[in-house]
Amino acid sequence: MAVAQFLEKHAKVAKVHYPGLKSHPDHALAKRQMKGFGSMLAFDLKGGLPAARRFCDRVQLFLLAASLGGPESLVVLPIYSSHYNMSAEDWRESALRPGTVRVSVGLEDTEDLIADLKQALS
């Protein structure tokens, strides 16, 4: 939750996709169905794909991964992984944008993760 809240307030982030945030369109439903909101989230960077690539090149604690899952914090760009073969029409219809970054928050200290995100977004 702390990572999602940090990202939601950051000037270079256009949107955070995380059901634990009150700004999420399905927050009320998620709150009724879940005891917690989990450690997976996505966010869209202003500046699109170039900004997302720069961000992934700059993270130091988060690892760039081909898929998400594990005890370490990971980032992945769906445009180069799960959504690589989507058509332009499919992209327009999806909630994802070329600047979308998916995140799996691991077991590292929250303050360390936020510090890494902050420096990568600077």
Side-chain angles (χ1 to χ4, degrees):
M1 179 65 84
V3 169
Q5 289 170 335
F6 164 79
L7 290 168
E8 187 172 48
K9 293 175 186 172
H10 199 282
K12 291 187 178 180
V13 175
K15 184 175 184 176
V16 178
H17 307 273
Y18 184 69
L21 295 173
K22 291 180 182 178
S23 61
H24 190 279
D26 294 320
H27 174 72
L29 175 64
K31 193 173 179 180
R32 286 194 312 271
Q33 292 180 339
M34 300 173 163
K35 293 181 182 179
F37 298 105
S39 62
M40 302 289 290
L41 62 100
F43 63 96
D44 302 333
L45 280 167
K46 295 176 183 174
L49 182 56
R53 289 181 63 171
R54 181 174 181 263
F55 169 82
C56 287
D57 286 343
R58 294 178 54 106
V59 289
Q60 296 173 358
L61 187 58
F62 286 83
L63 301 174
L64 185 58
S67 64
L68 300 176
E72 62 279 313
S73 292
L74 305 167
V75 295
V76 66
L77 296 177
I79 195 167
Y80 293 134
S81 58
S82 58
H83 293 69
Y84 182 74
N85 289 318
M86 285 177 66
S87 69
E89 181 179 337
D90 290 338
W91 269 101
R92 282 191 298 277
E93 293 177 5
S94 79
L96 296 175
R97 299 292 166 254
T100 298
V101 178
R102 285 193 175 149
V103 177
S104 174
V105 176
L107 302 175
E108 299 89 352
D109 183 75
T110 302
E111 290 178 14
D112 292 340
L113 293 173
I114 291 173
D116 189 29
L117 293 169
K118 190 175 193 176
Q119 70 79 27
L121 289 165
S122 65

